[in-house]
Amino acid sequence: MFHLLIKKLAYGVLVLFGVVVVVFLVFQAFGDPARMVLGQSGDKQTMDNIRKELHLDQPKWKQFVLYVNDISPLSIYTKEEIDEKNLRGFFVGGDKKIGIKIPYLRRSYQTKKQVTDVLMEALPGTIMLACAAMFLAIIAGIFLGIIAAVKQNTWMDTSSVFASVIGISAPSFFMAIVIAYLFGLVLHDYTGLSLTGSWFNIDSVTGQKYLTLQNLILPALTLGIRPLSIITQLTRSSMLDTLNQDYIRTAYAKGLSKRDVIVHHALRNAINPVLTAITGWFAELLAGAFFVEYIFGWKGIGKVTVDALEKLDYPVVMGSVLLAATIFVLMNIFADLLYGIIDPRVKMK
């Protein structure tokens, strides 16, 4: 398992490096970030100082090297650079210090805050939303998939398949608008749910934050529809294939109950493709449900990224893309390792 982990981490590093190259070319190599920082009113001397501070006066290849040095956990800096950028980590050395640090994603053009701090403030909201959506999708999806497979060619099977096809076909932003309008506006008197709202509110008197989890219901429902539909179809298909295997008939011949056969034998061996869908969708949701968060006003990575794009705040957008790519890589590695735990047929060498 250790060798597999090392191999997967190596592949993950290569993928992330490719993402870094693309992100740099798209957002940093073109345009004039100094103009975005100062706006149209900045004088030439101030513009030149900003370009020097952002290393825009250097050749493009050197800008890329400096950017990689900033976002890499293992980096080399002078003491002045460490103090100036307020780097957090452990450094050793003389004039040039080498150290392990929290990746430095630079500073927001608009707020001047470190991008890492901006994203970390939004990350709890996205984690909460993704977990709630995936919990709904996993519980309902696996249950409906099992029912559809066991009751094949009945109205239960037909209804589950029809509903899952609609759920897969409908775009998230469309479903978000429909659900927000229906439950947050038309049926508001009965549901008590609002069109928009984040996971916390601020008391106008004391200034303290307090949880408002009822605002989680509509975006979690919207976000969970597509993964729920996919999990339902995958569970049904995989269960149908598994229920026709010889060892299932042998289990019935031994006198095991239908419940034991389905739960302990069929489901355990049919879960691998479902697991792939779960980890893949969870990574996507965790990386930021851009449209859903924006439509419902839910403060998460997606909403922060869309707001940053509107303001041309490219460091925040670049940091968000890198964070999303890192989440995808880590979740895929986790899924590969989890296969061997759930399915003993998967051998790790």
Side-chain angles (χ1 to χ4, degrees):
M1 183 178 292
F2 178 75
H3 294 293
L4 175 67
L5 179 60
I6 296 299
K7 184 178 179 180
K8 293 295 181 181
L9 286 174
Y11 285 147
V13 171
L14 290 177
V15 171
L16 289 177
F17 182 76
V19 173
V20 169
V21 173
V22 173
V23 165
F24 179 82
L25 291 176
V26 171
F27 293 105
Q28 191 74 15
F30 306 104
D32 189 358
R35 177 65 66 187
M36 297 174 191
V37 174
L38 291 177
Q40 300 299 321
S41 59
D43 59 86
K44 185 179 184 302
Q45 183 177 356
T46 306
M47 293 280 289
D48 291 339
N49 292 335
I50 292 294
R51 289 192 178 99
K52 184 176 181 180
E53 178 184 344
L54 299 176
H55 309 295
L56 301 177
D57 56 339
Q58 303 293 331
K60 294 298 181 183
W61 68 267
K62 192 169 183 180
Q63 292 182 38
F64 177 71
V65 171
L66 292 171
Y67 180 65
V68 172
N69 189 57
D70 281 341
I71 65 175
S72 173
L74 184 65
S75 310
I76 300 176
Y77 291 98
T78 63
K79 186 178 185 303
E80 291 75 16
E81 290 174 329
I82 294 173
D83 295 335
E84 178 186 348
K85 296 179 178 180
N86 193 25
L87 300 178
R88 289 163 283 188
F90 177 74
F91 295 88
V92 293
D95 295 336
K96 289 284 187 179
K97 297 181 180 293
I98 185 171
I100 299 175
K101 71 175 194 318
I102 297 175
Y104 176 64
L105 302 177
R106 302 192 171 176
R107 293 183 180 273
S108 165
Y109 292 159
Q110 301 296 322
T111 64
K112 312 305 178 187
K113 294 173 61 176
Q114 286 204 23
V115 173
T116 304
D117 295 335
V118 174
L119 296 179
M120 288 303 105
E121 288 177 5
L123 187 59
T126 296
I127 291 176
M128 192 181 302
L129 178 58
C131 289
M134 281 310 301
F135 179 78
L136 169 67
I138 291 170
I139 299 300
I142 292 179
F143 176 76
L144 291 175
I146 293 174
I147 294 297
V150 173
K151 303 291 185 180
Q152 186 183 15
N153 298 326
T154 66
W155 69 270
M156 293 183 181
D157 182 24
T158 305
S159 300
S160 297
V161 172
F162 179 73
S164 64
V165 169
I166 294 178
I168 294 172
S169 304
S172 295
F173 66 87
F174 172 75
M175 293 303 297
I177 295 173
V178 171
I179 290 176
Y181 175 76
L182 183 61
F183 294 101
L185 188 62
V186 176
L187 300 177
H188 174 73
D189 293 339
Y190 303 99
T191 63
L193 301 176
S194 303
L195 281 171
T196 60
S198 189
W199 58 279
F200 67 87
N201 280 331
I202 300 178
D203 191 293
S204 58
V205 178
T206 63
Q208 293 183 337
K209 294 182 179 180
Y210 60 92
L211 288 174
T212 50
L213 293 182
Q214 71 173 18
N215 293 333
L216 178 64
I217 296 174
L218 294 184
L221 176 62
T222 304
L223 204 56
I225 287 176
R226 294 195 72 195
L228 187 156
S229 303
I230 291 174
I231 290 171
T232 298
Q233 291 211 0
L234 282 174
T235 303
R236 176 186 180 274
S237 176
S238 187
M239 283 291 293
L240 286 175
D241 181 62
T242 304
L243 289 172
N244 290 324
Q245 299 298 318
D246 291 337
Y247 64 86
I248 297 296
R249 286 188 285 270
T250 302
Y252 278 122
K254 288 181 177 179
L256 295 178
S257 66
K258 189 173 184 177
R259 177 181 176 279
D260 287 338
V261 171
I262 291 174
V263 175
H264 298 294
H265 294 273
L267 182 60
R268 182 179 177 88
N269 290 287
I271 202 68
N272 262 3
V274 181
L275 178 65
T276 303
I278 290 172
T279 53
W281 272 100
F282 185 72
E284 180 174 334
L285 300 185
L286 196 58
F290 288 57
F291 292 110
V292 173
E293 289 184 359
Y294 190 74
I295 289 172
F296 286 100
W298 184 266
K299 186 176 181 182
I301 298 294
K303 187 174 187 304
V304 167
T305 305
V306 174
D307 290 342
L309 276 171
E310 289 180 346
K311 300 173 183 176
L312 301 180
D313 198 351
Y314 288 157
V316 176
V317 180
M318 294 166 71
S320 174
V321 172
L322 293 178
L323 177 61
T326 303
I327 291 172
F328 268 102
V329 168
L330 293 178
M331 288 302 297
N332 284 328
I333 292 174
F334 175 72
D336 290 336
L337 296 178
L338 200 59
Y339 284 156
I341 298 174
I342 292 181
D343 191 344
R345 295 172 298 178
V346 178
K347 301 297 182 181
M348 295 187 179
K349 297 183 182 180

